């Protein structure tokens, strides 16, 4: 018999005291570091990711029922590393898998947004994974995403889950 998947901790319900910042950083490529050393064990990275929260102050925290510690995130806390496209046109559905094994279907609860990259003016797509935590779509997948796109009413974008998501510069949701 298969073991039931365990859900994520309810970090949104916890309000512990702030204990200060710790020397933990998530690099732009999705690598997690502790004291400038990469965290090489994926289960440990996934454990930290399960208690990660973005608060209204725009800062990222690792949160438990008894403490809240600040960490640095260079870009997005997750990276989309796999993409699956099913269907075509308005019936198309796009799914991503992240570097922490989260699976996300682009829909109303998990929208896709595009930002202009500083210095290059290139586009960087992001998808909401959970609780306003986003994944940066890797450059390789970006090209696949463009291939799945179309023009609608003068805007270029993609369809997923019955919604058209145009390339736009919308603010980060909080």
């Amino acid at each position: 018999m298969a073991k039931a998947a365990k859900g994520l901790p309810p970090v949104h319900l916890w309000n512990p005291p702030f204990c200060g910042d710790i020397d933990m950083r998530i690099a732009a490529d999705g690598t997690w570091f502790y004291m400038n050393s990469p965290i090489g064990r994926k289960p440990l990275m996934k454990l930290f990711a399960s208690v990660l929260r973005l608060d209204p102050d725009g800062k990222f925290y690792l949160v438990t029922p008894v403490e809240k510690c600040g960490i640095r995130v260079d870009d997005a806390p997750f990276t989309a590393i796999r993409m699956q496209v099913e269907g075509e046109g308005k019936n198309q559905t796009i799914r991503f898998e992240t570097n922490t094994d989260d699976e996300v279907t682009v829909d109303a609860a998990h929208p896709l947004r595009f930002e202009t990259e500083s210095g290059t003016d290139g586009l960087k797509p992001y998808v909401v994974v959970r609780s306003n935590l986003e994944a940066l779509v890797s450059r390789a997948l970006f090209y696949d995403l463009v291939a799945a796109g179309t023009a609608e009413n003068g805007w270029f974008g993609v369809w997923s889950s019955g919604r058209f998501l145009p390339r736009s510069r919308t603010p980060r949701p909080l």
Side-chain angles (χ1 to χ4, degrees), residues 17-25 33-35 53 55 57-62 67-73:
F18 177 63
C19 297
D21 293 328
I22 59 173
D23 190 7
M24 185 173 283
R25 177 176 72 91
F33 290 87
Y34 178 67
M35 296 180 70
R53 186 170 83 191
D55 278 3
D57 63 5
K59 296 180 183 177
F60 292 89
Y61 300 94
L62 298 179
E67 63 185 0
K68 173 177 153 179
C69 301
I71 68 166
R72 294 185 325 261
V73 177

Side-chain angles (χ1 to χ4, degrees), residues 43-54:
L44 186 57
M45 178 184 74
K46 289 173 61 172
L47 174 65
F48 288 131
S50 74
V51 294
L52 183 65
R53 186 170 83 191
L54 173 62

Side-chain angles (χ1 to χ4, degrees), residues 78-85 94-99 102 104 106 112 114 123-127 135-149 156 158:
F78 307 119
T79 304
I81 58 170
R82 287 183 198 71
M83 184 175 97
Q84 180 180 9
V85 179
I94 299 172
R95 291 184 181 84
F96 290 105
E97 183 181 329
T98 72
N99 60 326
D102 288 295
V104 177
V106 177
L112 186 65
F114 298 87
L123 290 180
K124 292 171 56 175
Y126 296 84
V127 61
L136 172 63
V137 176
S138 70
R139 181 62 61 189
L141 294 185
F142 175 69
Y143 295 114
D144 294 336
L145 191 61
V146 169
F156 182 82
V158 294

